[in-house]
Amino acid sequence: MIKKTALILLLLLLVSCTESTKKIKLTFKYKPGMILEYKQNSKKHTSIYKADSLVKNEVDESKAFVRQEILEIINDSTFKINEIDTWHYTMPNKDDSTQSDSVTYSREMDLLVLQNGKIIDFKFKNSEEKSTSYMKNYYEQGLPVFPSVEVYPG
């Protein structure tokens, strides 16, 4: 009886450890007209010390809203996406640094994105060319890019 139980447990273990032979390809399933919206909240704590004494301690919060609209599918593997980013934050008043001003800033760009999530190009709608290298670096570090080959689940 113990041998049968041990054999059954061994078979169950072997069956559960075998990998599925079915591979899957991970891709984004964008469709023209699809709208994706994201909200990002950031909080920054700043403490300033002078001669071991705290002279300033503040907390700043900012909120960003990202809206992406899928404009079109180009050659079955590339998506054209319009993105509008809007930030709401506070900054010191330029006339009185003890006061804060609420600021809203927006930026719009078009992205060309492969099915696996890799951004191959983007263009700002206004003249923000100075931000191009920063944005390229930001997107390459922060956005998911799926493997270009099929993978096993799990």
Side-chain angles (χ1 to χ4, degrees):
M1 181 70 164
I2 293 176
K3 286 185 180 183
K4 279 187 180 181
T5 305
L7 184 59
I8 291 172
L9 288 176
L10 180 62
L11 285 174
L12 286 173
L13 181 65
L14 287 174
V15 168
S16 66
C17 290
T18 59
E19 289 188 24
S20 169
T21 57
K22 182 176 166 96
K23 289 184 172 185
I24 58 170
K25 181 146 179 136
L26 300 172
T27 62
F28 284 97
K29 308 282 192 257
Y30 296 135
K31 293 181 176 145
M34 181 184 283
I35 294 176
L36 306 166
E37 295 180 321
Y38 308 94
K39 184 177 4 175
Q40 301 170 345
N41 295 318
S42 299
K43 188 181 275 191
K44 175 180 75 170
H45 298 269
T46 304
S47 300
I48 300 174
Y49 291 88
K50 185 175 184 180
D52 292 334
S53 295
L54 181 66
V55 289
K56 189 173 189 178
N57 192 23
E58 64 184 24
V59 176
D60 293 318
E61 290 187 54
S62 66
K63 294 182 180 183
F65 299 94
V66 178
R67 182 184 189 276
Q68 294 180 329
E69 181 178 356
I70 313 312
L71 299 177
E72 65 179 300
I73 300 174
I74 303 167
N75 67 21
D76 292 335
S77 65
T78 305
F79 303 97
K80 184 175 183 182
I81 301 173
N82 176 262
E83 179 174 304
I84 299 172
D85 304 321
T86 304
W87 292 270
H88 302 281
Y89 56 95
T90 58
M91 63 183 298
N93 180 289
K94 55 183 164 180
D95 297 326
D96 181 1
S97 64
T98 63
Q99 300 295 315
S100 295
D101 290 334
S102 294
V103 178
T104 299
Y105 172 75
S106 265
R107 156 182 78 210
E108 185 174 357
M109 65 183 121
D110 285 337
L111 308 164
L112 290 180
V113 182
L114 296 176
Q115 280 182 323
N116 68 352
K118 181 173 177 61
I119 295 177
I120 55 175
D121 194 18
F122 63 90
K123 291 190 177 27
F124 290 107
K125 293 284 189 162
N126 52 19
S127 59
E128 291 198 41
E129 287 82 22
K130 62 183 180 266
S131 301
T132 302
S133 62
Y134 169 79
M135 288 304 297
K136 183 177 184 322
N137 187 30
Y138 174 81
Y139 277 124
E140 286 174 350
Q141 291 181 47
L143 296 179
V145 176
F146 298 128
S148 58
V149 296
E150 290 184 336
V151 295
Y152 289 104

